Amino acid sequence: MQLLLTGASGFVGGRLAPALVKAGHDVRAMTRRPDDYGGAGTPVAGDVTDEASLRGALRGCEAAYYLVHSLGDADFQRKDAEAARTFARAAADAGVERIVYLGGLGRDSDELSPHLRSRREVERLLASTGVPVTTLRAGIVVGHGGVSWEMTRQLVAHLPAMVTPRWVHTRTQPIAVADVVRYLVGVLEAPDAGGRVFEVGGPEVLTYLQMLSRVADIQGRHLFVVPVPLLTPSLSSRWLALVTDVDVTTGRSLVDSMINEVVVTDDAIRTVVPFEPMDYDEMVLVALGERAADRRRAARVRRAGLLARGARS
């Protein structure tokens, strides 16, 4: 199947592209700078804010993956809505038969955070021109390079003791990025997946505090927690920016969402794409292993560069 993958260089897209190629699909990896793209698939120029470029990138595609968001932008709700409208028009004009979108968990009956409301709005707008949309809704996605995971890892690494706001007691259902990719590949050609919303998560429901404590245990660290119920979202996001490399704008969006319980209430995906997802300890060990391997590769590159400069001098 010929398909377009947006966000091909991102946390999920960078893993999804090779999985789709391995599954036998002809993948167009959309990027604003195709000459710089080194991942799987064929790079194609495109920008979700430029409808003409989208029409060209989508031409001849049977399906498209939409993995784009502007979470680090203070005006992300407006920008994400405009991008989804533009993409939906271009996909309909190109005759795309299915869009696959990765959104966020959370009960519609709750007062959702701006981030989660935006994800719901993008779902609706992608389907607004009649192209069937298959949505996977996930909570915390665990894997090296993911913002939520990096926030968790860095908090444990940098703080033997931490003050914690009320959101650390909110329940979530983390899932490994490898399992998200497996679901994204699996729903593409599933005959009964078109136009449906699926909730995806790992086998365990945990609070954020339990997640932090489990990471600390795996790494042999002791975590001392001091609850501070009155720590506001604004202060929480500034605190995160101080002790992690998550910027204040992204941190505020994440913290706002942490007041919402994000737990799977319908596991229909397990019959459409049947397999056993990783438990939390396993996904943490995989993420830590990926980080260690990445650091080793970077060290080898640095050493090679130093040797090359030494040989020239």
Side-chain angles (χ1 to χ4, degrees):
M1 181 184 296
Q2 188 168 80
L3 55 90
L4 181 73
L5 173 60
T6 67
S9 301
F11 168 53
V12 175
R15 292 166 166 84
L16 180 57
L20 289 168
V21 170
K22 184 177 180 181
H25 299 293
D26 181 0
V27 178
R28 293 182 187 175
M30 195 181 88
T31 172
R32 284 175 288 187
R33 294 177 291 275
D35 291 342
D36 297 335
Y37 180 75
T42 303
V44 59
D47 188 323
V48 291
T49 65
D50 180 353
E51 191 166 343
S53 73
L54 290 177
R55 292 175 191 273
L58 286 162
R59 189 173 297 116
C61 288
E62 300 168 68
Y65 282 87
Y66 194 81
L67 305 179
V68 177
H69 64 77
S70 308
L71 191 59
D73 193 297
D75 198 20
F76 72 89
Q77 291 174 275
R78 182 187 62 81
K79 290 187 175 182
D80 281 352
E82 289 182 358
R85 287 190 192 94
T86 303
F87 193 86
R89 288 194 301 267
D93 290 345
V96 171
E97 298 171 11
R98 181 181 299 186
I99 296 171
V100 182
Y101 171 61
L102 181 61
L105 278 172
R107 292 187 296 267
D108 290 332
S109 58
D110 288 349
E111 185 178 344
L112 295 177
S113 70
H115 170 217
L116 292 177
R117 287 201 305 272
S118 175
R119 292 297 180 100
R120 291 292 195 277
E121 184 179 28
V122 169
E123 283 182 31
R124 179 181 61 80
L125 292 172
L126 287 175
S128 63
T129 57
V131 180
V133 176
T134 299
T135 298
L136 300 188
R137 293 178 180 171
I140 298 293
V141 180
V142 177
H144 175 54
V147 176
S148 297
W149 160 248
E150 286 303 315
M151 185 178 72
T152 302
R153 184 192 64 76
Q154 291 177 36
L155 283 174
V156 172
H158 298 164
L159 296 176
M162 67 177 74
V163 293
T164 57
R166 285 174 296 182
W167 52 255
V168 296
H169 299 294
T170 304
R171 298 196 312 159
T172 184
Q173 195 160 346
I175 183 170
V177 65
D179 291 336
V180 171
V181 167
R182 195 167 176 180
Y183 281 131
L184 286 167
V185 174
V187 297
L188 180 60
E189 294 188 273
D192 55 349
R196 293 180 64 183
V197 174
F198 296 102
E199 299 179 342
V200 300
E204 297 174 87
V205 175
L206 302 168
T207 66
Y208 290 104
L209 180 56
Q210 287 173 323
M211 291 168 59
L212 290 164
S213 299
R214 293 268 285 271
V215 174
D217 288 343
I218 287 169
Q219 295 187 297
R221 299 175 183 272
H222 177 70
L223 190 65
F224 181 67
V225 174
V226 180
V228 181
L230 298 180
L231 195 60
T232 66
S234 178
L235 288 174
S236 291
S237 58
R238 294 182 184 279
W239 170 65
L240 288 173
L242 181 66
V243 297
T244 74
D245 59 15
V246 177
D247 65 87
V248 173
T249 302
T250 301
R252 179 59 188 267
S253 295
L254 293 174
V255 167
D256 285 346
S257 295
M258 287 173 176
I259 63 171
N260 293 121
E261 185 171 276
V262 284
V263 173
V264 173
T265 59
D266 181 352
D267 64 355
I269 188 67
R270 300 292 299 276
T271 61
V272 178
V273 186
F275 69 92
E276 290 302 318
M278 296 182 204
D279 63 30
Y280 187 66
D281 287 0
E282 184 180 1
M283 63 182 86
V284 167
L285 288 168
V286 170
L288 293 172
E290 288 177 342
R291 179 174 183 269
D294 194 41
R295 289 166 65 88
R296 287 194 296 269
R297 282 192 297 270
R300 286 196 297 270
V301 170
R302 285 195 299 271
R303 284 196 297 270
L306 289 171
L307 289 171
R309 285 195 293 272
R312 289 194 299 268
S313 61

